[in-house]
Amino acid sequence: MSLVFGERLGGVLLYKIPPGKQIYPHTDMGWHVDYYEKFNVCLKTNPETAFYYHGEEMKVKEGDVHFFRNDIPHWVKNEGLTDHIVLTVCIKTER
């Protein structure tokens, strides 16, 4: 939290996408989206999994951490042979 000047820890979501599955395109809405910044921590993945924002593909490696906005269209496709596991951490920052 100190690296992103966090003031408050919000929800923490652990999700797994099995091989051949996906999180379909969606946009999150509500107070939580407006209040917290979202950070994804990649725990397990494979080269055939991608995160998409507005159709732009982003590949991550295990251990990668990235900020993302969930108030814009996003989705994930796992076309690999192993699970894709991510920890999403919500942090209220000073910004």
Side-chain angles (χ1 to χ4, degrees):
M1 288 202 23
S2 65
L3 290 175
V4 297
F5 303 100
E7 295 179 348
R8 177 181 294 189
L9 179 63
V12 177
L13 170 71
L14 178 66
Y15 69 87
K16 175 178 85 169
I17 304 173
K21 301 294 182 178
Q22 66 179 308
I23 295 175
Y24 289 92
H26 68 284
T27 302
D28 298 310
M29 298 175 0
W31 73 268
H32 201 267
V33 173
D34 296 332
Y35 186 77
Y36 289 104
E37 305 298 328
K38 310 300 188 291
F39 300 88
N40 278 343
V41 181
C42 181
L43 303 178
K44 182 176 180 183
T45 194
N46 62 70
E48 302 304 317
T49 296
F51 195 98
Y52 296 86
Y53 296 102
H54 282 303
E56 302 245 352
E57 179 182 274
M58 181 177 74
K59 301 253 182 169
V60 295
K61 296 178 283 201
E62 292 174 12
D64 283 355
V65 178
H66 71 272
F67 165 82
F68 84 100
R69 290 183 47 191
N70 61 338
D71 63 340
I72 61 172
H74 58 283
W75 61 97
V76 184
K77 287 186 181 180
N78 181 355
E79 297 177 327
L81 300 175
T82 61
D83 290 337
H84 175 71
I85 303 173
V86 170
L87 183 69
T88 299
V89 181
C90 304
I91 300 173
K92 174 65 176 167
T93 63
E94 291 180 354
R95 73 175 201 116

